[in-house]
PDB file of all heavy atoms in Angstrom:
ATOM      1  N   ALA D 149     132.746 126.973 104.635  1.00 98.00           N
ATOM      2  CA  ALA D 149     131.527 127.330 103.914  1.00 98.00           C
ATOM      3  C   ALA D 149     131.630 127.205 102.400  1.00 98.00           C
ATOM      4  O   ALA D 149     130.615 127.245 101.729  1.00 98.00           O
ATOM      5  CB  ALA D 149     131.103 128.742 104.320  1.00 98.00           C
ATOM      6  N   ASN D 150     132.821 127.071 101.864  1.00 98.00           N
ATOM      7  CA  ASN D 150     132.954 126.963 100.411  1.00 98.00           C
ATOM      8  C   ASN D 150     133.743 125.696  99.962  1.00 98.00           C
ATOM      9  O   ASN D 150     133.970 125.560  98.781  1.00 98.00           O
ATOM     10  CB  ASN D 150     133.739 128.186  99.855  1.00 98.00           C
ATOM     11  CG  ASN D 150     132.899 129.482  99.928  1.00 98.00           C
ATOM     12  OD1 ASN D 150     132.993 130.283 100.805  1.00 98.00           O
ATOM     13  ND2 ASN D 150     131.983 129.600  98.937  1.00 98.00           N
ATOM     14  N   ALA D 166     133.236 125.222  96.027  1.00 98.00           N
ATOM     15  CA  ALA D 166     131.903 125.545  95.429  1.00 98.00           C
ATOM     16  C   ALA D 166     131.484 126.953  95.789  1.00 98.00           C
ATOM     17  O   ALA D 166     131.663 127.425  96.914  1.00 98.00           O
ATOM     18  CB  ALA D 166     130.904 124.545  95.960  1.00 98.00           C
ATOM     19  N   LYS D 167     130.841 127.621  94.810  1.00 98.00           N
ATOM     20  CA  LYS D 167     130.275 128.911  95.086  1.00 98.00           C
ATOM     21  C   LYS D 167     128.971 128.761  95.946  1.00 98.00           C
ATOM     22  O   LYS D 167     128.739 129.550  96.832  1.00 98.00           O
ATOM     23  CB  LYS D 167     129.961 129.629  93.754  1.00 98.00           C
ATOM     24  CG  LYS D 167     131.161 129.973  92.958  1.00 98.00           C
ATOM     25  CD  LYS D 167     130.738 130.596  91.612  1.00 98.00           C
ATOM     26  CE  LYS D 167     131.934 130.818  90.648  1.00 98.00           C
ATOM     27  NZ  LYS D 167     131.511 131.328  89.372  1.00 98.00           N
ATOM     28  N   LYS D 168     128.218 127.766  95.598  1.00 98.00           N
ATOM     29  CA  LYS D 168     126.980 127.408  96.280  1.00 98.00           C
ATOM     30  C   LYS D 168     127.012 125.950  96.695  1.00 98.00           C
ATOM     31  O   LYS D 168     127.515 125.087  95.922  1.00 98.00           O
ATOM     32  CB  LYS D 168     125.755 127.731  95.489  1.00 98.00           C
ATOM     33  CG  LYS D 168     125.696 129.118  94.869  1.00 98.00           C
ATOM     34  CD  LYS D 168     125.395 130.169  95.915  1.00 98.00           C
ATOM     35  CE  LYS D 168     125.259 131.547  95.253  1.00 98.00           C
ATOM     36  NZ  LYS D 168     124.979 132.608  96.249  1.00 98.00           N
ATOM     37  N   ILE D 169     126.424 125.638  97.836  1.00 98.00           N
ATOM     38  CA  ILE D 169     126.327 124.207  98.274  1.00 98.00           C
ATOM     39  C   ILE D 169     124.880 123.978  98.676  1.00 98.00           C
ATOM     40  O   ILE D 169     124.265 124.789  99.377  1.00 98.00           O
ATOM     41  CB  ILE D 169     127.311 124.013  99.450  1.00 98.00           C
ATOM     42  CG1 ILE D 169     128.752 124.230  99.060  1.00 98.00           C
ATOM     43  CG2 ILE D 169     127.097 122.558  99.970  1.00 98.00           C
ATOM     44  CD1 ILE D 169     129.681 124.244 100.229  1.00 98.00           C
ATOM     45  N   ILE D 170     124.360 122.820  98.267  1.00 98.00           N
ATOM     46  CA  ILE D 170     123.031 122.428  98.673  1.00 98.00           C
ATOM     47  C   ILE D 170     123.105 121.105  99.517  1.00 98.00           C
ATOM     48  O   ILE D 170     123.657 120.090  98.957  1.00 98.00           O
ATOM     49  CB  ILE D 170     122.094 122.155  97.409  1.00 98.00           C
ATOM     50  CG1 ILE D 170     122.068 123.421  96.576  1.00 98.00           C
ATOM     51  CG2 ILE D 170     120.755 121.750  97.831  1.00 98.00           C
ATOM     52  CD1 ILE D 170     121.350 123.273  95.211  1.00 98.00           C
ATOM     53  N   ALA D 314     131.153 124.770 109.006  1.00 98.00           N
ATOM     54  CA  ALA D 314     130.626 125.796 108.106  1.00 98.00           C
ATOM     55  C   ALA D 314     129.815 126.839 108.872  1.00 98.00           C
ATOM     56  O   ALA D 314     129.418 127.876 108.298  1.00 98.00           O
ATOM     57  CB  ALA D 314     129.755 125.194 106.997  1.00 98.00           C
ATOM     58  N   GLY D 315     129.545 126.556 110.165  1.00 98.00           N
ATOM     59  CA  GLY D 315     128.832 127.494 110.973  1.00 98.00           C
ATOM     60  C   GLY D 315     127.287 127.449 110.794  1.00 98.00           C
ATOM     61  O   GLY D 315     126.606 128.446 110.973  1.00 98.00           O
ATOM     62  N   ILE D 316     126.780 126.308 110.335  1.00 98.00           N
ATOM     63  CA  ILE D 316     125.363 126.207 110.040  1.00 98.00           C
ATOM     64  C   ILE D 316     124.556 125.892 111.246  1.00 98.00           C
ATOM     65  O   ILE D 316     124.876 125.032 112.070  1.00 98.00           O
ATOM     66  CB  ILE D 316     125.166 125.039 108.967  1.00 98.00           C
ATOM     67  CG1 ILE D 316     125.885 125.388 107.687  1.00 98.00           C
ATOM     68  CG2 ILE D 316     123.698 124.765 108.765  1.00 98.00           C
ATOM     69  CD1 ILE D 316     125.948 124.222 106.679  1.00 98.00           C
ATOM     70  N   LYS D 317     123.470 126.671 111.388  1.00 98.00           N
ATOM     71  CA  LYS D 317     122.611 126.507 112.572  1.00 98.00           C
ATOM     72  C   LYS D 317     121.588 125.426 112.419  1.00 98.00           C
ATOM     73  O   LYS D 317     121.107 125.193 111.325  1.00 98.00           O
ATOM     74  CB  LYS D 317     121.870 127.875 112.864  1.00 98.00           C
ATOM     75  CG  LYS D 317     122.795 128.950 113.386  1.00 98.00           C
ATOM     76  CD  LYS D 317     121.965 130.200 113.678  1.00 98.00           C
ATOM     77  CE  LYS D 317     122.844 131.356 114.240  1.00 98.00           C
ATOM     78  NZ  LYS D 317     122.072 132.605 114.437  1.00 98.00           N
ATOM     79  N   ASP D 325     118.268 124.712 109.989  1.00 98.00           N
ATOM     80  CA  ASP D 325     117.443 125.892 110.026  1.00 98.00           C
ATOM     81  C   ASP D 325     117.547 126.650 108.693  1.00 98.00           C
ATOM     82  O   ASP D 325     118.666 126.976 108.287  1.00 98.00           O
ATOM     83  CB  ASP D 325     117.872 126.792 111.155  1.00 98.00           C
ATOM     84  CG  ASP D 325     116.845 127.859 111.533  1.00 98.00           C
ATOM     85  OD1 ASP D 325     115.709 127.741 111.085  1.00 98.00           O
ATOM     86  OD2 ASP D 325     117.213 128.858 112.231  1.00 98.00           O
ATOM     87  N   ASN D 327     115.562 129.662 105.846  1.00 98.00           N
ATOM     88  CA  ASN D 327     114.533 130.654 105.639  1.00 98.00           C
ATOM     89  C   ASN D 327     113.535 130.292 104.585  1.00 98.00           C
ATOM     90  O   ASN D 327     113.522 129.136 104.104  1.00 98.00           O
ATOM     91  CB  ASN D 327     115.153 132.075 105.377  1.00 98.00           C
ATOM     92  CG  ASN D 327     115.995 132.077 104.089  1.00 98.00           C
ATOM     93  OD1 ASN D 327     115.780 131.212 103.208  1.00 98.00           O
ATOM     94  ND2 ASN D 327     116.876 133.040 103.916  1.00 98.00           N
ATOM     95  N   HIS D 329     113.550 130.854 101.542  1.00 98.00           N
ATOM     96  CA  HIS D 329     114.239 130.482 100.319  1.00 98.00           C
ATOM     97  C   HIS D 329     115.062 129.217 100.459  1.00 98.00           C
ATOM     98  O   HIS D 329     115.896 128.895  99.605  1.00 98.00           O
ATOM     99  CB  HIS D 329     115.128 131.649  99.850  1.00 98.00           C
ATOM    100  CG  HIS D 329     114.319 132.785  99.282  1.00 98.00           C
ATOM    101  ND1 HIS D 329     114.909 134.009  98.963  1.00 98.00           N
ATOM    102  CD2 HIS D 329     113.015 132.922  98.981  1.00 98.00           C
ATOM    103  CE1 HIS D 329     114.028 134.832  98.535  1.00 98.00           C
ATOM    104  NE2 HIS D 329     112.842 134.180  98.502  1.00 98.00           N
ATOM    105  N   LEU D 330     114.910 128.529 101.683  1.00 98.00           N
ATOM    106  CA  LEU D 330     115.653 127.317 101.968  1.00 98.00           C
ATOM    107  C   LEU D 330     117.171 127.635 102.112  1.00 98.00           C
ATOM    108  O   LEU D 330     118.000 126.750 101.874  1.00 98.00           O
ATOM    109  CB  LEU D 330     115.400 126.250 100.910  1.00 98.00           C
ATOM    110  CG  LEU D 330     113.942 125.792 100.831  1.00 98.00           C
ATOM    111  CD1 LEU D 330     113.665 124.963  99.602  1.00 98.00           C
ATOM    112  CD2 LEU D 330     113.506 125.073 102.069  1.00 98.00           C
ATOM    113  N   GLN D 331     117.462 128.828 102.459  1.00 98.00           N
ATOM    114  CA  GLN D 331     118.819 129.273 102.668  1.00 98.00           C
ATOM    115  C   GLN D 331     119.152 129.151 104.158  1.00 98.00           C
ATOM    116  O   GLN D 331     118.374 129.571 105.015  1.00 98.00           O
ATOM    117  CB  GLN D 331     118.944 130.739 102.233  1.00 98.00           C
ATOM    118  CG  GLN D 331     120.322 131.352 102.156  1.00 98.00           C
ATOM    119  CD  GLN D 331     120.198 132.775 101.625  1.00 98.00           C
ATOM    120  OE1 GLN D 331     119.283 133.517 101.935  1.00 98.00           O
ATOM    121  NE2 GLN D 331     121.206 133.159 100.815  1.00 98.00           N
ATOM    122  N   THR D 332     120.325 128.599 104.472  1.00 98.00           N
ATOM    123  CA  THR D 332     120.750 128.527 105.843  1.00 98.00           C
ATOM    124  C   THR D 332     121.271 129.877 106.320  1.00 98.00           C
ATOM    125  O   THR D 332     121.193 130.871 105.568  1.00 98.00           O
ATOM    126  CB  THR D 332     121.866 127.486 106.050  1.00 98.00           C
ATOM    127  OG1 THR D 332     123.058 128.010 105.368  1.00 98.00           O
ATOM    128  CG2 THR D 332     121.463 126.141 105.383  1.00 98.00           C
ATOM    129  N   ASN D 333     121.742 129.972 107.547  1.00 98.00           N
ATOM    130  CA  ASN D 333     122.303 131.218 108.055  1.00 98.00           C
ATOM    131  C   ASN D 333     123.601 131.607 107.344  1.00 98.00           C
ATOM    132  O   ASN D 333     124.050 132.743 107.436  1.00 98.00           O
ATOM    133  CB  ASN D 333     122.559 131.150 109.565  1.00 98.00           C
ATOM    134  CG  ASN D 333     123.493 130.009 109.930  1.00 98.00           C
ATOM    135  OD1 ASN D 333     123.203 128.831 109.682  1.00 98.00           O
ATOM    136  ND2 ASN D 333     124.605 130.383 110.557  1.00 98.00           N
ATOM    137  N   ILE D 334     124.160 130.623 106.632  1.00 98.00           N
ATOM    138  CA  ILE D 334     125.360 130.891 105.782  1.00 98.00           C
ATOM    139  C   ILE D 334     124.802 131.122 104.366  1.00 98.00           C
ATOM    140  O   ILE D 334     124.255 130.190 103.771  1.00 98.00           O
ATOM    141  CB  ILE D 334     126.342 129.736 105.786  1.00 98.00           C
ATOM    142  CG1 ILE D 334     126.716 129.376 107.262  1.00 98.00           C
ATOM    143  CG2 ILE D 334     127.622 130.075 105.032  1.00 98.00           C
ATOM    144  CD1 ILE D 334     127.308 130.512 108.066  1.00 98.00           C
ATOM    145  N   SER D 335     124.983 132.303 103.855  1.00 98.00           N
ATOM    146  CA  SER D 335     124.186 132.747 102.670  1.00 98.00           C
ATOM    147  C   SER D 335     124.399 131.860 101.389  1.00 98.00           C
ATOM    148  O   SER D 335     123.501 131.819 100.579  1.00 98.00           O
ATOM    149  CB  SER D 335     124.515 134.192 102.300  1.00 98.00           C
ATOM    150  OG  SER D 335     125.889 134.392 102.049  1.00 98.00           O
ATOM    151  N   ASN D 336     125.522 131.261 101.231  1.00 98.00           N
ATOM    152  CA  ASN D 336     125.778 130.499 100.046  1.00 98.00           C
ATOM    153  C   ASN D 336     125.389 128.961 100.172  1.00 98.00           C
ATOM    154  O   ASN D 336     125.630 128.230  99.263  1.00 98.00           O
ATOM    155  CB  ASN D 336     127.255 130.585  99.559  1.00 98.00           C
ATOM    156  CG  ASN D 336     128.190 129.878 100.526  1.00 98.00           C
ATOM    157  OD1 ASN D 336     128.186 130.221 101.732  1.00 98.00           O
ATOM    158  ND2 ASN D 336     128.943 128.963 100.025  1.00 98.00           N
ATOM    159  N   ILE D 337     124.839 128.618 101.342  1.00 98.00           N
ATOM    160  CA  ILE D 337     124.516 127.223 101.626  1.00 98.00           C
ATOM    161  C   ILE D 337     123.029 127.056 101.805  1.00 98.00           C
ATOM    162  O   ILE D 337     122.398 127.810 102.581  1.00 98.00           O
ATOM    163  CB  ILE D 337     125.291 126.704 102.879  1.00 98.00           C
ATOM    164  CG1 ILE D 337     126.809 126.800 102.646  1.00 98.00           C
ATOM    165  CG2 ILE D 337     124.910 125.255 103.117  1.00 98.00           C
ATOM    166  CD1 ILE D 337     127.636 126.428 103.875  1.00 98.00           C
ATOM    167  N   TYR D 338     122.437 126.106 101.086  1.00 98.00           N
ATOM    168  CA  TYR D 338     121.025 125.834 101.130  1.00 98.00           C
ATOM    169  C   TYR D 338     120.772 124.391 101.629  1.00 98.00           C
ATOM    170  O   TYR D 338     121.683 123.547 101.584  1.00 98.00           O
ATOM    171  CB  TYR D 338     120.397 126.027  99.732  1.00 98.00           C
ATOM    172  CG  TYR D 338     120.499 127.421  99.199  1.00 98.00           C
ATOM    173  CD1 TYR D 338     121.701 127.859  98.654  1.00 98.00           C
ATOM    174  CD2 TYR D 338     119.427 128.247  99.227  1.00 98.00           C
ATOM    175  CE1 TYR D 338     121.785 129.143  98.083  1.00 98.00           C
ATOM    176  CE2 TYR D 338     119.484 129.562  98.720  1.00 98.00           C
ATOM    177  CZ  TYR D 338     120.704 130.003  98.144  1.00 98.00           C
ATOM    178  OH  TYR D 338     120.819 131.269  97.659  1.00 98.00           O
ATOM    179  N   ALA D 339     119.568 124.119 102.054  1.00 98.00           N
ATOM    180  CA  ALA D 339     119.217 122.750 102.493  1.00 98.00           C
ATOM    181  C   ALA D 339     117.823 122.474 102.085  1.00 98.00           C
ATOM    182  O   ALA D 339     116.954 123.352 102.067  1.00 98.00           O
ATOM    183  CB  ALA D 339     119.381 122.560 103.991  1.00 98.00           C
ATOM    184  N   VAL D 360     115.408 125.848  94.763  1.00 98.00           N
ATOM    185  CA  VAL D 360     116.700 126.357  95.168  1.00 98.00           C
ATOM    186  C   VAL D 360     117.612 126.652  93.888  1.00 98.00           C
ATOM    187  O   VAL D 360     118.280 127.664  93.808  1.00 98.00           O
ATOM    188  CB  VAL D 360     117.434 125.391  96.136  1.00 98.00           C
ATOM    189  CG1 VAL D 360     118.894 125.750  96.253  1.00 98.00           C
ATOM    190  CG2 VAL D 360     116.738 125.486  97.490  1.00 98.00           C
ATOM    191  N   ILE D 363     116.372 129.843  92.391  1.00 98.00           N
ATOM    192  CA  ILE D 363     116.751 130.911  93.196  1.00 98.00           C
ATOM    193  C   ILE D 363     118.220 131.308  93.034  1.00 98.00           C
ATOM    194  O   ILE D 363     118.605 132.504  92.843  1.00 98.00           O
ATOM    195  CB  ILE D 363     116.496 130.651  94.713  1.00 98.00           C
ATOM    196  CG1 ILE D 363     114.986 130.727  94.974  1.00 98.00           C
ATOM    197  CG2 ILE D 363     117.198 131.664  95.644  1.00 98.00           C
ATOM    198  CD1 ILE D 363     114.594 130.233  96.399  1.00 98.00           C
ATOM    199  N   ILE D 364     119.087 130.300  92.981  1.00 98.00           N
ATOM    200  CA  ILE D 364     120.518 130.515  92.768  1.00 98.00           C
ATOM    201  C   ILE D 364     120.737 131.191  91.371  1.00 98.00           C
ATOM    202  O   ILE D 364     121.618 132.032  91.237  1.00 98.00           O
ATOM    203  CB  ILE D 364     121.315 129.165  92.794  1.00 98.00           C
ATOM    204  CG1 ILE D 364     121.292 128.678  94.299  1.00 98.00           C
ATOM    205  CG2 ILE D 364     122.751 129.317  92.319  1.00 98.00           C
ATOM    206  CD1 ILE D 364     121.918 127.276  94.455  1.00 98.00           C
TER     207      ILE D 364
END
Side-chain angles (χ1 to χ4, degrees):
N150 288 99
K167 296 176 184 176
K168 307 287 184 182
I169 299 170
I170 302 173
I316 297 170
K317 290 182 180 178
D325 195 16
N327 62 18
H329 288 171
L330 299 168
Q331 187 178 38
T332 69
N333 60 299
I334 308 301
S335 62
N336 68 303
I337 300 175
Y338 298 79
V360 166
I363 286 173
I364 292 172

